[in-house]
Amino acid sequence: MDRLFRLTTALALAALLVACSPVARPVGDFGRAAPSWTHDAAMPAAGNAASSLRGEPVSNFNKTDQEEEMHDRVWRFLVAAHAKDWVFDSSVELQRTRIIPPNKDQHYTVERYYAWLKRTEYQSSRTRYSAVGRHIAADIDTLPTTFAAICAVIEVDRQRAVAYSGLSNGLPPAMGDNMRARKYENDAFIAWFVRALNYRNDSYDFALDNLLVETPHEQSLAVDEALRRLSAFVARANRYDFCGNGTAHLTGGGVVIPSRYQRSGDQEVVLPK
């Protein structure tokens, strides 16, 4: 009864925090997450209580530097500062802090990015292609370091398991429970990144298909090529190939991803970054 009371109190606190402050995580320079007591301490504490109530594993281990970096680098793929609420910034923050279950994003649909492009006023219809190209290029530029950060966390979890197997006889049972809970948390976060990357790729693809019908331009060829490059990373992520040698993305790990075009286009078209 006492445990239930504490969990109920925590959930009530979470509801109060959500009602009294912006739910979306604050953003600082260059689109990076900004420090916030509400989002860095209060909401995660309430989320841990909510997760326990749902029967999900919760670890009280301190985060390693590698885990902190992975969370920081992945976060930009969970939200979209350049398209407000395209990736549902508020629900992302509730999911990140575990106040809501870790699968809310599975209900996202791909038309939102195109809808944002369509309602945004541009001086030229060609500029929408340039916008899509810039967004894809920004993702591609940050994916190698994001993959490396995820790989580092996978290695940390492996090292924890090795250390525990050799020292478990002298450790309290709670240590093993915390180790397994942290592995669950890291695995869930990595799976969320994979879903988010697929969602971005599908959203870009949907937008390009619609732009080709609505406002056909030769700039679409450069965007299609950028999507082919992004799709190689998506293929690696779906295989959980985060610890490659850094060159697999150039060829998609041996997978040839076909273009939507059967002809080459204007080689003069330059994708802006």
Side-chain angles (χ1 to χ4, degrees):
M1 182 65 69
D2 183 56
R3 177 175 176 272
L4 180 59
F5 174 77
R6 291 198 302 270
L7 292 174
T8 303
T9 302
L11 291 175
L13 173 61
L16 181 63
L17 289 169
V18 170
C20 296
S21 63
V23 177
R25 195 176 184 186
V27 177
D29 295 339
F30 307 109
R32 293 176 295 194
S36 163
W37 179 84
T38 298
H39 294 266
D40 296 334
M43 289 177 68
N48 286 342
S51 299
S52 295
L53 185 62
R54 294 192 298 265
E56 299 169 10
V58 177
S59 174
N60 65 10
F61 276 177
N62 290 319
K63 283 189 174 69
T64 65
D65 292 346
Q66 295 93 330
E67 288 164 337
E68 292 282 8
E69 182 175 2
M70 178 185 74
H71 280 254
D72 289 345
R73 291 191 179 278
V74 165
W75 186 74
R76 73 169 301 280
F77 289 93
L78 307 179
V79 297
H82 56 273
K84 292 296 185 183
D85 207 33
W86 163 36
V87 195
F88 304 84
D89 293 358
S90 296
S91 65
V92 163
E93 185 62 3
L94 293 173
Q95 185 172 325
R96 183 191 72 83
T97 56
R98 304 186 71 179
I99 291 174
I100 63 175
N103 56 359
K104 175 70 174 177
D105 61 285
Q106 293 180 350
H107 303 290
Y108 294 173
T109 52
V110 297
E111 75 279 356
R112 292 185 67 86
Y113 177 66
Y114 170 67
W116 172 81
L117 281 171
K118 185 176 177 64
R119 69 174 177 265
T120 301
E121 294 185 2
Y122 291 100
Q123 291 184 340
S124 167
S125 57
R126 287 178 169 84
T127 310
R128 287 187 175 84
Y129 288 98
S130 297
V132 178
R134 287 194 301 271
H135 298 157
I136 297 171
D139 288 347
I140 292 172
D141 286 346
T142 58
L143 277 169
T145 51
T146 303
F147 274 38
I150 293 172
C151 178
V153 169
I154 293 172
E155 175 61 16
V156 165
D157 281 330
R158 188 193 69 81
Q159 291 176 359
R160 282 196 183 108
V162 170
Y164 182 75
S165 66
L167 302 171
S168 58
N169 290 337
L171 297 174
M175 186 63 68
D177 293 338
N178 272 303
M179 179 194 69
R180 287 183 286 272
R182 177 51 54 83
K183 177 70 162 56
Y184 167 87
E185 292 167 348
N186 287 338
D187 287 349
F189 196 79
I190 293 169
W192 189 10
F193 166 74
V194 173
R195 294 195 303 271
L197 186 58
N198 276 276
Y199 178 66
R200 281 194 176 225
N201 183 69
D202 293 345
S203 295
Y204 293 141
D205 192 74
F206 180 87
L208 181 55
D209 283 347
N210 280 269
L211 288 175
L212 283 168
V213 176
E214 182 178 0
T215 56
H217 289 298
E218 68 276 7
Q219 281 81 0
S220 59
L221 297 171
V223 177
D224 184 62
E225 176 57 27
L227 264 177
R228 281 163 51 82
R229 292 173 56 209
L230 178 63
S231 296
F233 282 103
V234 175
R236 284 186 60 192
N238 287 335
R239 299 194 304 269
Y240 279 63
D241 176 20
F242 300 109
C243 300
N245 61 13
T247 60
H249 70 276
L250 299 176
T251 60
V255 177
V256 177
I257 301 172
S259 168
R260 72 194 69 221
Y261 300 100
Q262 297 302 314
R263 58 184 176 82
S264 61
D266 183 0
Q267 300 303 315
E268 296 282 320
V269 177
V270 178
L271 179 65
K273 297 181 68 173

